[in-house]
Amino acid sequence: MTFQPTDQGFYGEYGGAFVPEMLHANVEELRQNYLKFSETEEFKKEFQSLLKDYVGRPTPLYFAKRLTEKYGSKIYLKREDLCHTGAHKVNNTIGQILLAEKLGKKRIIAETGAGQHGVATATVCALKGLQCIVYMGEHDIKRQAPNVSRMKMLGAEVRPALSGSKTLKDATNEAIRDWINNPNDTFYIIGSVVGPHPYPDMVARFQSVISEEIKWQLQEHEGRENPDMVIACVGGGSNAAGAFYHFMEDERVKLVAAEAAGLGVDSGKSAATSLLGTNGILHGSRTLLMQTADGQVIEPYSVSAGLDYPGIGPLHAHLITSGRAKSYPITDDEALESVLEVSRLEGIIPALETAHAFSVLNKIEHHKDQVIVVNLSGRGDKDLNTYIEHFNF
Amino acid sequence: MTIAAYIKQNKPILNVYFTAGYPELGDTGRTVLALQREGVQMIEVGMPYSDPMADGETIQNSSAHAIKNGMTIELLFSQLSEIKSEVNIPLVFMGYLNQWMQFGKEKFLIEAKKAGIGALIIPDLPLDVYETEYKELVEKHGLSMSFLITPNTSNERIKKAAKLSSAFLYVVSQSSITGTSAGVSMEQLAYFKRINDLSLEIPRLIGFGISDAESFNQACQYADGAIIGSAFIKALQRDNLEPSISTFIKSILETSR
Ligand SMILES: Cc1ncc(COP(=O)(O)O)c(C=O)c1O
C-alpha cells in the first residue's frame, strides 16, 4: 500500500482540493510550485541550515529510563519540545516561509489553535521581515493567553475568530476568507496536514525531518533504524505525520494516533474524529469529519486547544481507515494525569496535546524488547494556567 | 424553457439570494412568494451551512441562525414543494458540496427536482470533480449547473466553466467573499471586458458586492443580470417580513426601469 498522494492530492479516497473558484488560482500556484522549489538543492540547503542553526535540530531522541521502568517497554522520547518556540510546528513554518519568499508574497496569514503554530508563524515572519496576521478563536485566545502575548511581541497581529465554538475550525474559516479577499499578495501558512492539496503533502514533507532523525538516532541507540511502535497525538495530524513519515511503508512499525476524546467519546463533548467522524469535506479536503446526518459540522470539544478540531488530515483518514494506523481516544482527565506523570518521572512538562500521546502507554501491552518512540510534540509552558487551575497549585 | 433561455428572454435579470429558514424557520416559502410578487426574475435559495467558506459575515450569521432554527435540507425541499404550484420563476439551490454528499448524491438531485429547483450552485465543487463524478447524474435528473469565475480565473478556465454551466455563468465581481461592496473599478471593467471578448453563449450574472440600484444597474451593463445576497439579508425585518422585502426590491427595480 502507498501512502503518498496522487498528483491531485488523494490518499485513497481522501484528500483533493475542494476549494471555491476564488481560491483556485492560489492553490494551483502552490501545487505547481511546492515541489519545484522545495526539491532544489538551494532550497534544501537553506531549509536545513535554518533547522540546524535557528530551530536547534536535530532534536534529541531521549531514552526515558523511568517511564521504561514503569511500563516495561523501551521508551524513547523524540524531543520536539526542544525546538525553538517549543513545538514541532516551526519545522513547517520555516519551510513555508521559504516558499512564500520564492513566490514573492509579502503578507502572511495563519490560523492557530493552541497558539504554537501562530507563534511559529510570527517567529519566521519576524525572521524574514514579513507582515503577519494570525486568526485565533476567541475561546482559544483566553485559554492560551501566553502564546497570544508571544505573537504580539513578535510583531504579529492576532485577530479573533468569533463564529461557531470560537476555536481552531473557526480560526481556519477566517484565515481562508482572508485568503479569498487577498489572493494576490498573501501566502497562507497552514499549521497542520489539513486543507486542500498540496497542503497536507507539503506540511508532511516539512515535518518528515522528525522521522528522518529518529531513524539514525535509533540506529545509534539500538543498532536498528525502526522502532516497533511510534505514538503521536493527532489534532490535524502534523506532528504525527512527521513522526510516521519514514515508517509508513514498513508494516512492522505500528503507528498509533492519540485523539482527544474530551469528556468521553460518547459524551457529546469530544474531538475523537476517527471514531466519531464520517466521510465529508472540511477546509477543502475530503476526510473524516464530525458532522450531523444533514452534513453540518459538529462543534468539537477538548481541553486541549490544539486537538479541538472536528476533522483530521486526509493522510490520517487513509492510514486509520485502511488499518495501517490505530487510533486511541484519550479523555481530558487521562491526558491531565499523564502531564503530571511525565513531569515527575522525567522532569519534562509536556503540552496538553502531547500528553494525550503519553496516555496511550496505559492502553497498550508492554514487553521489554518492544521499542516505542513517543513524539514529544511540545512543551507545556503555554498550558500552565490550565495546569494551575486543574491541579490546584 | 431552459433557465439559460429564460434569462436571455427576460434580461436584465434580478436574482435574489436568501438563506432558507431565516429569520424564522417557516419564512422560506413566504420569502420566495414575496420576491416573486415584487417582480424578481429569479431566486437563489441558500441552504444554510455551518462552515460557508465563500461567504462573509452576513450570510454566515443568517446561516448559523437558520441552522439553530432547525433548518435541514429535507425540510427545505418540503417547504419548497408546498409552494411549488405557485412559483413560476426559476429557483436555484445554493449550498456546499458536503451537504449534497451527506444527503445522498442521487437522492439529492431527485428531491431537488421534485421541489421545483432548476439549477445548482455549489461553490466548493471543483470543475474537474464535477465532470468526472457528478455531471452525468445532474444531467440525468434534468438539473442545470452554474459555476463561478473570478478576476483570477484564466480565459481557458472561464471557457471550461462556461461549457460546464448550463443555467448561467456566475461572474464573481471581485476577489472577495460575499458581502463586500465597492463600486466598479478599472480592474473590474477590464475583467468584464475580457469576459465579453470571449463571446460565450451561456448567459452571465454578476454577483458579490451588488447591494443597491446603482451597483445593480452597473452590473447589468456588463452581463445579463446580477445577484444580490447580503444586502437583501440585511434588509429583512423579522416582524415585518413582506413589507421589508417589498421596500428593498422596489428600491432596486423602480430606479432601474
Ligand atoms: C504541542 C502540540 N502538539 C500537537 C498539536 C496538534 O497539531 P498536529 O496534530 O498538527 O500535530 C499542537 C497544535 O497546536 C501542539 O501545539
Side-chain angles (χ1 to χ4, degrees):
Chain A
M1 198 179 294
T2 175
F3 297 100
Q4 295 300 325
T6 64
D7 188 46
Q8 295 303 316
F10 281 97
Y11 302 85
E13 62 183 307
Y14 301 110
F18 295 84
V19 295
E21 184 62 25
M22 292 81 101
L23 284 181
H24 176 81
N26 296 40
V27 170
E28 186 60 17
E29 178 185 37
L30 205 55
R31 187 180 74 85
Q32 287 177 6
N33 288 300
Y34 82 113
L35 290 179
K36 200 170 93 191
F37 285 123
S38 65
E39 294 292 308
T40 62
E41 284 312 311
E42 183 207 345
F43 187 100
K44 282 189 197 164
K45 218 173 123 196
E46 203 176 350
F47 182 55
Q48 279 155 12
S49 121
L50 281 171
L51 286 188
K52 176 167 171 283
D53 299 326
Y54 188 68
V55 174
R57 301 204 75 91
T59 58
L61 183 69
Y62 166 70
F63 175 62
K65 188 157 163 288
R66 298 190 67 203
L67 279 172
T68 296
E69 279 166 14
K70 167 153 190 203
Y71 287 102
S73 297
K74 269 189 155 171
I75 298 170
Y76 285 88
L77 309 182
K78 181 57 175 163
R79 297 292 306 275
E80 293 302 299
D81 60 316
L82 294 178
C83 286
H84 177 44
T85 69
H88 68 289
K89 296 283 183 189
V90 72
N91 303 326
N92 168 45
T93 59
I94 295 263
Q96 288 200 48
I97 201 80
L98 292 178
L99 257 180
E101 259 190 331
K102 301 271 180 255
L103 293 173
K105 306 291 180 179
K106 301 282 178 254
R107 182 175 175 273
I108 305 296
I109 56 170
E111 85 296 337
T112 196
Q116 284 302 128
H117 174 61
V119 167
T121 304
T123 298
V124 296
C125 287
L127 186 68
K128 294 291 183 182
L130 295 172
Q131 184 191 359
C132 181
I133 293 155
V134 179
Y135 290 89
M136 188 170 188
E138 197 183 36
H139 180 55
D140 292 340
I141 286 179
K142 286 191 193 120
R143 61 176 160 170
Q144 307 277 225
N147 274 345
V148 177
S149 304
R150 289 170 82 198
M151 285 183 264
K152 289 181 179 166
M153 283 198 69
L154 292 160
E157 181 192 340
V158 181
R159 292 190 186 164
L162 305 172
S163 60
S165 54
K166 304 178 174 64
T167 57
L168 180 55
K169 169 185 77 104
D170 313 293
T172 308
N173 288 339
E174 290 311 322
I176 290 173
R177 292 194 178 104
D178 182 310
W179 206 22
I180 290 175
N181 285 331
N182 300 282
N184 298 325
D185 64 340
T186 297
F187 191 98
Y188 179 17
I189 300 191
I190 295 188
S192 193
V193 286
V194 301
H197 179 64
Y199 280 103
D201 185 45
M202 178 169 71
V203 176
R205 282 167 185 263
F206 290 143
Q207 291 291 0
S208 70
V209 63
I210 299 173
S211 48
E212 193 182 311
E213 288 173 5
I214 293 174
K215 270 184 170 293
W216 62 259
Q217 290 172 320
L218 203 61
Q219 179 71 35
E220 283 182 7
H221 282 284
E222 291 286 329
R224 60 186 233 194
E225 282 194 332
N226 289 3
D228 297 301
M229 184 185 290
V230 182
I231 307 176
C233 65
V234 171
S238 67
N239 86 89
F244 294 170
Y245 199 85
H246 291 285
F247 305 118
M248 291 189 300
E249 315 286 336
D250 186 345
E251 304 257 343
R252 287 169 302 182
V253 182
K254 294 194 180 102
L255 307 177
V256 172
E259 285 191 312
L263 300 186
V265 175
D266 301 317
S267 67
K269 295 279 247 173
S270 181
T273 307
S274 76
L275 292 166
L276 297 171
T278 52
N279 289 358
I281 291 171
L282 181 65
H283 296 143
S285 155
R286 197 186 276 163
T287 190
L288 287 173
L289 159 68
M290 288 167 42
Q291 57 185 327
T292 66
D294 214 38
Q296 308 288 0
V297 180
I298 292 175
E299 305 294 352
Y301 166 82
S302 165
V303 68
S304 149
L307 305 184
D308 197 351
Y309 186 69
I312 47 172
L315 166 63
H316 294 291
H318 182 48
L319 285 168
I320 291 170
T321 55
S322 69
R324 178 65 190 91
K326 186 168 163 49
S327 76
Y328 286 88
I330 306 295
T331 63
D332 288 357
D333 286 344
E334 289 169 329
L336 282 157
E337 243 170 74
S338 293
V339 168
L340 264 200
E341 176 173 293
V342 177
S343 300
R344 299 203 170 159
L345 284 181
E346 298 294 347
I348 299 169
I349 301 175
L352 256 175
E353 291 76 19
T354 314
H356 288 72
F358 281 102
S359 299
V360 173
L361 293 172
N362 287 307
K363 315 221 157 196
I364 55 170
E365 287 184 15
H366 294 277
H367 53 91
K368 69 176 181 12
D369 300 322
Q370 176 171 255
V371 174
I372 297 178
V373 174
V374 179
N375 196 36
L376 214 170
S377 60
R379 64 182 192 221
D381 307 35
K382 69 182 176 61
D383 297 309
L384 221 50
N385 285 339
T386 307
Y387 297 165
I388 289 167
E389 242 172 68
H390 184 80
F391 299 116
N392 283 318
F393 290 138
Chain B
M1 192 179 358
T2 64
I3 294 182
Y6 171 89
I7 293 173
K8 294 275 185 204
Q9 219 171 71
N10 292 282
K11 69 184 189 183
I13 298 285
L14 171 60
N15 182 354
V16 171
Y17 166 96
F18 78 101
T19 304
Y22 176 85
E24 299 290 345
L25 191 59
D27 288 343
T28 310
R30 283 171 69 191
T31 305
V32 169
L33 294 177
L35 284 169
Q36 173 173 282
R37 224 168 21 242
E38 294 303 324
V40 163
Q41 291 96 341
M42 202 163 164
I43 298 173
E44 203 177 308
V45 183
M47 173 60 210
Y49 186 49
S50 56
D51 295 78
M53 230 201 276
D55 290 303
E57 210 180 358
T58 305
I59 293 178
Q60 193 186 351
N61 289 344
S62 63
S63 296
H65 199 104
I67 293 167
K68 229 179 238 160
N69 285 346
M71 200 61 212
T72 64
I73 300 184
E74 200 161 322
L75 181 60
L76 171 60
F77 288 161
S78 87
Q79 288 176 338
L80 293 179
S81 296
E82 275 170 34
I83 53 161
K84 191 178 169 185
S85 61
E86 300 167 67
V87 179
N88 45 39
I89 58 175
L91 297 185
V92 182
F93 176 99
M94 143 90 204
Y96 286 79
L97 184 56
N98 193 49
Q99 302 177 293
W100 182 353
M101 266 175 75
Q102 304 313 319
F103 193 83
K105 210 167 166 179
E106 189 156 17
K107 184 178 155 211
F108 174 83
L109 296 168
I110 296 168
E111 299 298 319
K113 183 82 188 173
K114 265 199 233 158
I117 286 164
L120 309 175
I121 301 171
I122 312 289
D124 60 342
L125 171 58
L127 294 175
D128 49 343
V129 175
Y130 171 69
E131 243 183 326
T132 53
E133 295 182 29
Y134 289 85
K135 184 166 179 278
E136 227 179 87
L137 274 181
V138 169
E139 286 170 356
K140 175 179 156 196
H141 292 286
L143 281 140
S144 305
M145 290 297 297
S146 283
F147 287 98
L148 276 58
I149 60 168
T150 82
N152 282 339
T153 308
S154 67
N155 284 353
E156 197 186 326
R157 208 172 149 79
I158 291 178
K159 284 184 199 157
K160 184 170 177 181
K163 203 173 123 225
L164 292 175
S165 297
S166 36
F168 60 88
L169 189 64
Y170 195 131
V171 179
V172 176
S173 65
Q174 54 198 352
S175 300
S176 78
I177 51 177
T178 55
T180 329
S181 69
V184 177
S185 67
M186 293 304 286
E187 237 178 321
Q188 278 172 296
L189 281 181
Y191 162 57
F192 295 149
K193 187 167 176 316
R194 176 161 71 92
I195 302 167
N196 267 340
D197 290 349
L198 295 175
S199 312
L200 306 169
E201 245 174 68
I202 192 86
R204 287 161 288 139
L205 300 184
I206 295 178
F208 286 44
I210 313 298
S211 59
D212 52 17
E214 194 192 343
S215 47
F216 175 70
N217 290 333
Q218 248 176 347
C220 289
Q221 290 172 27
Y222 305 101
D224 303 290
I227 304 165
I228 299 184
S230 301
F232 175 68
I233 303 279
K234 279 187 200 156
L236 288 176
Q237 291 173 15
R238 173 193 310 268
D239 301 321
N240 207 21
L241 191 69
E242 277 88 357
S244 68
I245 292 173
S246 172
T247 307
F248 182 82
I249 300 303
K250 284 195 168 71
S251 79
I252 307 288
L253 289 182
E254 281 184 358
T255 40
S256 308
R257 285 185 184 145

Coordinates of all heavy atoms in Angstrom, one line a residue, chain A residues 88-89 114 116 192 233-239 306-307 351 353-354 377-378, ligand 1:
Chain A
H88 N 6.9 21.2 17.5 CA 7.3 20.8 16.2 C 6.8 21.8 15.1 O 7.3 21.8 14.0 CB 6.7 19.5 15.9 CG 5.2 19.5 15.8 ND1 4.4 19.7 16.9 CD2 4.3 19.5 14.7 CE1 3.1 19.8 16.5 NE2 3.0 19.6 15.2
K89 N 5.9 22.7 15.4 CA 5.2 23.5 14.4 C 6.2 24.3 13.6 O 5.9 24.6 12.4 CB 4.2 24.4 15.1 CG 3.1 23.7 15.8 CD 2.0 23.3 14.9 CE 0.8 22.6 15.6 NZ -0.1 22.0 14.6
A114 N -3.8 26.1 19.6 CA -3.0 26.2 20.8 C -2.2 27.5 20.8 O -1.6 27.9 21.9 CB -2.2 25.0 21.1
Q116 N 0.6 27.6 19.2 CA 2.0 27.2 18.8 C 2.3 27.4 17.4 O 3.4 27.9 17.0 CB 2.2 25.7 19.2 CG 2.4 25.4 20.6 CD 3.6 26.1 21.3 OE1 3.4 26.8 22.3 NE2 4.8 26.1 20.6
S192 N -1.2 22.5 9.9 CA -1.2 21.1 10.0 C -1.4 20.4 8.7 O -1.4 21.1 7.7 CB -2.4 20.7 11.0 OG -2.2 19.3 11.4
C233 N 0.2 12.4 19.1 CA -1.1 12.9 19.2 C -1.5 13.4 17.8 O -0.7 13.8 17.0 CB -1.2 14.0 20.3 SG -0.3 15.5 19.9
V234 N -2.9 13.5 17.6 CA -3.4 14.0 16.3 C -4.4 15.0 16.5 O -5.5 14.7 17.1 CB -3.9 12.8 15.4 CG1 -4.6 13.4 14.2 CG2 -2.8 11.9 15.0
G235 N -4.1 16.2 16.1 CA -5.2 17.3 16.0 C -5.6 17.3 14.6 O -6.5 16.6 14.2
G236 N -4.8 18.0 13.8 CA -4.9 17.9 12.3 C -4.0 16.7 11.9 O -4.3 16.0 11.0
G237 N -2.9 16.6 12.6 CA -2.0 15.4 12.4 C -0.6 15.7 11.9 O 0.0 14.9 11.3
S238 N -0.1 17.0 12.1 CA 1.2 17.3 11.5 C 2.4 16.6 12.3 O 3.3 16.1 11.6 CB 1.4 18.8 11.4 OG 1.5 19.4 12.6
N239 N 2.3 16.7 13.6 CA 3.5 16.0 14.3 C 3.4 14.5 14.1 O 4.5 13.9 13.9 CB 3.5 16.4 15.8 CG 2.7 15.6 16.7 OD1 3.1 14.6 17.2 ND2 1.4 16.0 16.9
G306 N -5.2 22.5 20.8 CA -4.5 22.1 19.5 C -5.2 20.8 19.0 O -4.9 20.4 17.8
L307 N -6.0 20.1 19.8 CA -6.6 18.9 19.3 C -8.1 19.1 19.1 O -8.9 18.2 18.7 CB -6.4 17.7 20.3 CG -5.0 17.4 20.7 CD1 -4.9 16.2 21.6 CD2 -4.1 17.2 19.4
A351 N 3.2 19.6 26.7 CA 2.0 20.3 26.3 C 0.8 19.4 26.5 O 0.9 18.2 26.5 CB 2.1 20.7 24.8
E353 N -1.6 18.8 24.4 CA -1.8 17.9 23.2 C -0.9 16.7 23.3 O -1.4 15.6 23.2 CB -1.3 18.7 22.0 CG -2.3 19.9 21.6 CD -2.1 21.1 22.5 OE1 -1.0 21.2 23.1 OE2 -3.0 22.0 22.5
T354 N 0.4 16.9 23.6 CA 1.4 15.8 23.7 C 1.0 14.8 24.8 O 1.2 13.6 24.6 CB 2.8 16.4 24.1 OG1 3.0 17.6 23.2 CG2 3.8 15.4 23.9
S377 N 5.6 16.3 21.1 CA 5.5 17.4 20.2 C 5.7 18.8 20.7 O 6.0 19.7 19.9 CB 4.1 17.3 19.5 OG 3.1 17.4 20.5
G378 N 5.5 19.0 22.0 CA 5.6 20.4 22.5 C 5.7 20.4 24.0 O 5.3 19.5 24.7
Ligands
LIG1 C1 2.5 20.8 21.1 C2 1.4 20.4 20.1 N1 1.2 19.2 19.7 C3 0.3 18.8 18.8 C4 -0.5 19.7 18.2 C5 -1.6 19.3 17.3 O1 -1.3 19.5 15.9 P1 -0.9 18.4 14.9 O2 -1.9 17.3 15.1 O3 -0.9 19.1 13.6 O4 0.5 18.0 15.3 C6 -0.4 21.1 18.6 C7 -1.3 22.1 17.9 O5 -1.4 23.2 18.3 C8 0.6 21.4 19.5 O6 0.8 22.7 19.9

